[in-house]
Amino acid sequence: MKWRGRRGSTNVEDRRGMGGKGLAVGGGLGGLIIVLIVTLLGGNPGDLIGGMGETEQSVPYEETEKEKENAQFVSVVLADTEDVWTDIFREQGLTYKEPQLVLYTGSVQSACGAAGSSVGPFYCPGDQKLYIDLSFYQELQDKFDAPGDFAMAYVIAHEVGHHVQTLLGKTEEIHALRSKLSETEYNKYQVRFELQADYYAGVWANHAQDMNVLEKGDLEEALNAASGVGDDTLQKKSQGYVVPESFTHGTSEQRKRWFYKGFQNGTIKGGDTFKVKEL
Ligand SMILES: [Zn+2]
């Protein structure tokens, strides 16, 4: 991706080296804590997110050159998503509210609870922020076999996709089903919800292409990353077999295909993963 020397976002909150020290939780939302948390990877986020712990630990942190570069990169990608989604929302007569991107190391406090970097990148609808420990960049390459800058761009774009869902009211709609359905039934909705975020990531990539910032191999990098974080692939790797009822994000094939669909369409229209019979 051509990103060097381009505009970075002003919505990046650098909390690296700050440990889990964080914001007052819930207060600003009138006491309402939205515990739904939206991750890139599968698994049950409820298992991974701790409570509102008191542990505030400042860890010495010194940014390496590589990390500096990665921080600049995600800032440029975020800025690109702001441009693209502001336009798309405007065309629909809507106003896009830019999300914040929190960079952290180790662990972080969000309105959705405390999280460790093992959770992977996530979006918290409660404070409308994206959270990323940049060490995930390396993990994406090594653990998920998804190297390349556009693989990381896909990750950001996917989380921004969840922000778009939140602004459009979809997050709340899905969250409301949680208490009404069995886990297996709810998982089916969650898969559709996640695939829609992948579709929106593809929509963004379509516009990035129009902006002439894609390089040869970028699209493949994103598709490969979408495939690398598919539930079947992750389960095969971690436990050697797949349990489809427990899928929350979709298979590698589905994630790739919905991203690609968004990439081809370039519009919100066509991304209703809740309407289609077969995903
Ligand atoms: Zn997601």
Side-chain angles (χ1 to χ4, degrees):
M1 181 181 176
K2 293 174 204 156
W3 63 274
R4 280 176 209 279
R6 296 185 44 232
R7 179 180 83 86
S9 171
T10 52
N11 293 309
V12 178
E13 198 181 317
D14 196 348
R15 285 198 225 157
R16 291 177 292 171
M18 287 170 65
K21 188 174 174 165
L23 55 160
V25 175
L29 300 162
L32 174 78
I33 297 171
I34 303 171
V35 283
L36 177 75
I37 186 168
V38 201
T39 57
L40 173 78
L41 310 167
N44 182 2
D47 297 338
L48 302 163
I49 308 296
M52 312 298 168
E54 293 292 307
T55 46
E56 289 182 5
Q57 208 182 0
S58 212
V59 241
Y61 174 73
E62 230 181 293
E63 189 182 44
T64 65
E65 271 310 304
K66 186 72 198 159
E67 286 162 346
K68 196 175 173 178
E69 193 180 287
N70 289 345
Q72 284 168 353
F73 173 75
V74 294
S75 170
V76 171
V77 172
L78 184 66
D80 282 351
T81 65
E82 290 163 359
D83 292 343
V84 167
W85 286 109
T86 296
D87 281 354
I88 294 176
F89 269 59
R90 194 186 294 129
E91 282 161 20
Q92 311 272 326
L94 303 167
T95 307
Y96 183 67
K97 187 173 168 274
E98 297 172 355
Q100 295 275 318
L101 170 66
V102 179
L103 302 179
Y104 74 95
T105 44
S107 65
V108 71
Q109 265 308 340
S110 76
C112 298
S117 44
S118 62
V119 178
F122 68 94
Y123 171 75
C124 172
D127 52 24
Q128 304 199 350
K129 292 181 183 185
L130 285 69
Y131 292 84
I132 289 178
D133 182 328
L134 289 173
S135 64
F136 183 73
Y137 213 142
Q138 196 63 40
E139 237 180 285
L140 195 60
Q141 193 173 313
D142 303 339
K143 228 171 114 186
F144 303 100
D145 305 314
D149 58 5
F150 216 68
M152 193 61 180
Y154 153 74
V155 171
I156 309 285
H158 172 92
E159 297 307 329
V160 169
H162 285 310
H163 177 62
V164 169
Q165 291 175 310
T166 300
L167 295 181
L168 295 177
K170 205 73 205 174
T171 307
E172 223 174 307
E173 211 179 290
I174 296 307
H175 189 44
L177 296 173
R178 195 162 203 168
S179 54
K180 296 182 189 137
L181 301 173
S182 69
E183 200 180 329
T184 310
E185 277 306 306
Y186 180 73
N187 283 349
K188 289 182 192 163
Y189 281 95
Q190 223 197 314
V191 166
R192 289 172 186 267
F193 184 70
E194 289 296 335
L195 292 176
Q196 188 171 56
D198 282 333
Y199 177 88
Y200 289 159
V203 169
W204 169 76
N206 168 292
H207 290 260
Q209 191 185 41
D210 285 347
M211 287 155 63
N212 248 325
V213 297
L214 292 206
E215 292 174 311
K216 201 169 173 276
D218 276 348
L219 179 64
E220 290 72 19
E221 283 171 9
L223 288 168
N224 184 48
S227 169
V229 291
D231 286 326
D232 52 342
T233 302
L234 295 181
Q235 289 191 351
K236 257 181 240 159
K237 260 187 195 171
S238 66
Q239 60 196 27
Y241 58 93
V242 298
V243 184
E245 305 85 71
S246 69
F247 286 177
T248 54
H249 286 65
T251 64
S252 292
E253 191 276 322
Q254 288 172 325
R255 298 197 73 166
K256 244 166 88 168
R257 189 154 41 77
W258 280 98
F259 174 88
Y260 192 63
K261 214 173 176 167
F263 178 75
Q264 285 180 311
N265 290 348
T267 59
I268 289 185
K269 222 174 140 233
D272 198 342
T273 51
F274 296 90
K275 284 237 171 81
V276 293
K277 264 199 179 138
E278 290 293 321
L279 279 168

